[in-house]
Amino acid sequence: MASSPLDNLAEQTAQLLATVAALGSIDQLRDDEPMITGKRSFLSTLQKSLGVLAPEDRKDAGARLQEARRTVEAALEGRRDELTRAARLRQLEVDRMDLGDVVVGAVRWPATVGHPSLVAVTQRELEDVFVAMGFTVSEGPEVESDWYNFEALNIPPAHPARGMWDTFYVELGEPETVVLRTHTSPTQIHLMESAVARDSLPIHAVMPGRCYRRDTPDARHLAAFHQVEGLVVDHHIAFSDLAGVIETFTRAYFGPDIESRLRPAFFPFTEPSAEFEVTCTICRGEGCRTCSQTGWIELGGCGMLDPAVLDAVGIDGDEWSGFAFGFGIDRCAQMRHQIADMRALVENDARFLRQFS
Ligand code: DAH
């Protein structure tokens, strides 16, 4: 029988299959593929040489060659799958985080534990001061209706005083009827309403909590901040009682070397109203960036309850009178600990936070 280009096809195919089985990586497979099934492979060379065969032998030879190619190609795809899967498993192994190792191996003993934030600590200290002065502590919701946050506080819709509070509105109900409270003053309204309902006047209460304003954060402002509200409703309450409470609080919380002052101001829910300021502890009154060169830091506002507010909750203004105040807890922390920029309270820099553990 005349020799044919396909004489060694079986051995050559077996050799190719062995080569495929020995491929060690996807990269190697990609490099060697042209020599196995591509243009540079002997399968392709044989294909071209079929022309030398007698026409009657060509068909049979072509079929055998096709068969060999299919076998090799199937083996190559199988190997490609195997290698891809193995590579993925290896990557998973590399990426895996062994938390057991981290926890058991890296933690020094005694382990570091967290601690309450400076704001939380300050809130508790402020509550303690007021509880010692005979106040109770209450809390109110952070999401309020327009009525509690504004109207009941003598700030009707479209009143220019609303400009004092840049408000975040919640998309609920009619537009601009539900707000993130801009101050803790609405809690006064809740407290007075429930005291009227339960016939439990007088009230001597403080109300701490988180508030929100569309303010650009700066050295003295955060968009989410904390206030403590104070409310006294009793018989024969005078402005001197308010001034006495503010002065007693300032000395108890800041110590004897911090001065406080009340300056005339306007708030719709109090009449007369005052602003409550303390000496800037960053510059000791000299003037600095934190206090905008004034030497004073405004902590909040206060005043005698406006008759319109008592009316709104159904308290008889002929029988009862009272005062209210509201000031910033974050500001108190800032002044007590001489923090030049309030944003440090929320930036989560561990070097800052560790100082207050
Ligand atoms: N709610 C005021 C504010 O956030 C502060 C304030 C002023 C509260 C006078 C009062 C008050 O209770 O009587 O700007």
Side-chain angles (χ1 to χ4, degrees):
M1 206 172 81
S3 86
S4 145
L6 299 195
D7 280 350
N8 299 321
L9 184 60
E11 296 96 85
Q12 285 170 312
T13 305
Q15 228 168 48
L16 266 191
L17 291 176
T19 306
V20 168
L23 289 170
S25 71
I26 278 290
D27 284 346
Q28 194 190 354
L29 184 148
R30 218 171 286 134
D31 288 347
D32 293 356
E33 194 172 357
M35 270 143 28
I36 298 169
T37 54
K39 287 211 181 79
R40 287 154 57 198
S41 67
F42 82 86
L43 289 169
S44 297
T45 314
L46 285 181
Q47 186 74 36
K48 281 178 216 141
S49 64
L50 290 183
V52 305
L53 292 176
E56 64 272 22
D57 294 334
R58 232 178 265 161
K59 193 170 166 216
D60 181 49
R64 283 176 56 209
L65 195 54
Q66 260 319 312
E67 179 60 31
R69 175 178 281 281
R70 234 176 268 132
T71 308
V72 175
E73 279 177 352
L76 191 66
E77 287 320 303
R79 188 66 188 144
R80 194 194 307 276
D81 281 353
E82 274 170 23
L83 290 172
T84 307
R85 209 168 315 129
R88 192 175 319 127
L89 283 177
R90 256 196 317 276
Q91 193 58 43
L92 279 177
E93 195 56 33
V94 170
D95 291 348
R96 201 178 101 209
M97 281 205 290
D98 190 338
L99 297 178
D101 279 355
V102 175
V103 172
V104 176
V107 170
R108 274 167 291 138
W109 195 257
T112 318
V113 291
H115 58 86
S117 76
L118 179 57
V119 175
V121 170
T122 304
Q123 177 175 325
R124 217 167 298 153
E125 289 169 352
L126 295 174
E127 287 172 13
D128 286 349
V129 170
F130 284 107
V131 166
M133 291 164 72
F135 288 78
T136 57
V137 181
S138 290
E139 285 183 358
E142 292 178 21
V143 178
E144 288 283 15
S145 65
D146 186 87
W147 160 261
Y148 284 100
N149 198 77
F150 291 122
E151 266 196 74
L153 290 162
N154 197 28
I155 317 166
H159 192 282
R162 289 201 178 200
M164 293 167 77
W165 298 275
D166 280 326
T167 309
F168 283 116
Y169 290 95
V170 179
E171 279 188 12
L172 253 181
E174 292 289 300
E176 304 199 355
T177 54
V178 181
V179 306
L180 293 185
R181 68 176 176 193
T182 58
H183 49 182
T184 42
S185 300
T187 314
Q188 287 183 31
I189 304 297
H190 288 290
L191 226 57
M192 287 190 279
E193 278 181 347
S194 73
V196 168
R198 288 186 284 144
D199 197 16
S200 62
L201 288 172
I203 299 171
H204 300 84
V206 289
M207 297 143 262
R210 203 196 308 263
C211 308
Y212 304 85
R213 283 187 206 170
R214 285 181 50 194
D215 275 340
T216 305
D218 64 22
R220 286 189 315 247
H221 297 88
L222 298 174
F225 60 102
H226 301 77
Q227 285 189 336
V228 58
E229 191 81 9
L231 175 70
V232 168
V233 182
D234 208 334
H235 296 293
H236 313 300
I237 298 295
F239 195 90
S240 52
D241 297 311
L242 166 60
V245 165
I246 296 286
E247 180 63 14
T248 308
F249 156 75
T250 306
R251 295 200 173 280
Y253 183 70
F254 290 106
D257 44 330
I258 292 301
E259 274 191 69
S260 66
R261 67 177 187 183
L262 293 181
R263 298 207 306 163
F266 170 77
F267 295 100
F269 30 92
T270 41
E271 181 60 36
S273 304
E275 243 162 37
F276 162 32
E277 298 183 333
V278 294
T279 319
C280 176
T281 57
I282 310 297
C283 61
R284 297 267 146 196
E286 294 284 304
C288 67
R289 190 178 61 84
T290 306
C291 61
S292 302
Q293 314 303 330
T294 63
W296 294 91
I297 291 282
E298 186 198 330
L299 283 189
C302 58
M304 304 306 291
L305 293 183
D306 192 291
V309 175
L310 293 175
D311 265 359
V313 294
I315 291 180
D316 180 355
D318 291 332
E319 187 186 350
W320 304 93
S321 56
F323 64 78
F325 57 82
F327 57 84
I329 296 176
D330 320 74
R331 287 271 177 92
C332 284
Q334 183 180 20
M335 284 301 109
R336 170 98 170 238
H337 299 280
Q338 292 156 40
I339 299 162
D341 195 313
M342 192 187 272
R343 287 168 288 194
L345 291 173
V346 291
E347 275 167 355
N348 282 341
D349 184 330
R351 293 162 300 180
F352 172 80
L353 297 175
R354 259 199 296 273
Q355 300 175 79
F356 307 103
S357 60

